[in-house]
Amino acid sequence: NDVRMAQFEGNKDIISKYARMARDKGFDGYFAVVSDPVDPLCKAVFLESNTNENRILDFRGIAPNKIIGFGLGVMNARAAFYAEKDDSISNYLNDGQVFGPHGKGLVVANSMNNYDNEKSKYLTEKTVNANLEIRAFGYKPYVAPSLSSGSLSITAAIQGDYFYGSSLMGDIFMGAKIRLTNSGLEVPQYSLHPLLKERLQETYNGLRSII
């Protein structure tokens, strides 16, 4: 099992207190989620903030487009690392993207315009298991995630640049390339390859089953 899911209940209890506080104070700014697992915790924030004392959704809390999860940036950085070392998947550097959670369920697309399912699955596997390679040397990789998923992504968000973050898609929060605009969150639109669409649907269903 993904260790991040073992953190869900504990972190959910903690973050829910702040979600209730935001509701009580009428907070209308952006609520950033940086704890694992980012995507389910974003939904937990939305539900807790928008539920009244009778546990009924009244949508009087934080708007869903004001909740952003920061956890996917490091997976893009890892995918780029492997793409730089292998010419067969180097097109990721110019045209690839990552989607989904920061861990199990991650989807790496080697290219959005020339998608190759096998290459994408290979790059996904390398990206997901990258931290295990580092741990094998006796180190816990925390600096890279705090930079690429944390400070660099948050800075990009503030500046209105594209970054990898979790936002509301349908009735779940899911990671993708997004940016903040004057009219809200913007997610780039693509004509998805059928096999990529299938992988994304599987991840979507997996996230839906959590909360």
Side-chain angles (χ1 to χ4, degrees):
N1 291 333
D2 192 329
V3 67
R4 293 175 184 86
M5 292 316 304
Q7 300 172 285
F8 179 48
E9 289 304 324
N11 284 342
K12 178 174 174 285
D13 289 342
I14 296 170
I15 208 167
S16 291
K17 295 175 183 177
Y18 290 95
R20 295 291 302 180
M21 191 184 303
R23 172 190 172 91
D24 294 341
K25 298 295 184 181
F27 178 72
D28 62 356
Y30 285 95
F31 192 109
V33 178
V34 295
S35 303
D36 285 330
V38 166
D39 308 77
L41 286 174
C42 283
K43 186 170 182 180
V45 167
F46 170 71
L47 292 174
E48 192 66 31
S49 173
N50 286 281
T51 301
N52 64 23
E53 60 274 10
N54 296 317
R55 310 310 298 169
I56 297 173
L57 275 172
D58 61 8
F59 304 102
R60 294 182 178 179
I62 308 170
N65 65 332
K66 291 293 187 75
I67 301 170
I68 305 173
F70 294 89
L72 192 56
V74 69
M75 305 312 262
N76 171 58
R78 290 174 183 170
F81 170 79
Y82 289 110
E84 287 177 347
K85 296 161 66 76
D86 187 339
D87 288 342
S88 70
I89 51 176
S90 62
N91 57 345
Y92 176 84
L93 299 171
N94 298 316
D95 192 35
Q97 285 194 38
V98 290
F99 300 89
H102 167 202
K104 184 180 179 182
L106 177 78
V107 173
V108 179
N110 75 307
S111 169
M112 297 306 294
N113 293 307
N114 296 288
Y115 179 77
D116 183 294
N117 202 47
E118 292 308 312
K119 290 178 180 179
S120 294
K121 284 188 172 183
Y122 167 77
L123 190 50
T124 299
E125 183 179 359
K126 296 293 289 184
T127 302
V128 170
N129 293 322
N131 65 326
L132 299 180
E133 293 185 24
I134 300 300
R135 288 173 186 268
F137 291 107
Y139 299 97
K140 186 181 187 301
Y142 62 88
V143 175
S146 65
L147 285 173
S148 48
S149 289
S151 56
L152 294 177
S153 291
I154 292 172
T155 299
I158 293 171
Q159 294 175 338
D161 298 330
Y162 278 112
F163 65 98
Y164 283 101
S166 183
S167 62
L168 185 68
M169 297 187 183
D171 59 357
I172 63 149
F173 283 79
M174 181 167 160
K177 180 178 282 189
I178 58 176
R179 70 175 175 179
L180 292 174
T181 71
N182 291 332
S183 56
L185 287 172
E186 176 184 287
V187 181
Q189 300 298 302
Y190 299 94
S191 178
L192 297 176
H193 188 286
L195 293 177
L196 174 56
K197 191 173 183 178
E198 186 177 300
R199 293 179 66 201
L200 291 173
Q201 185 65 54
E202 185 177 339
T203 289
Y204 184 92
N205 293 341
L207 288 170
R208 256 189 115 185
S209 69
I210 298 171
I211 183 172

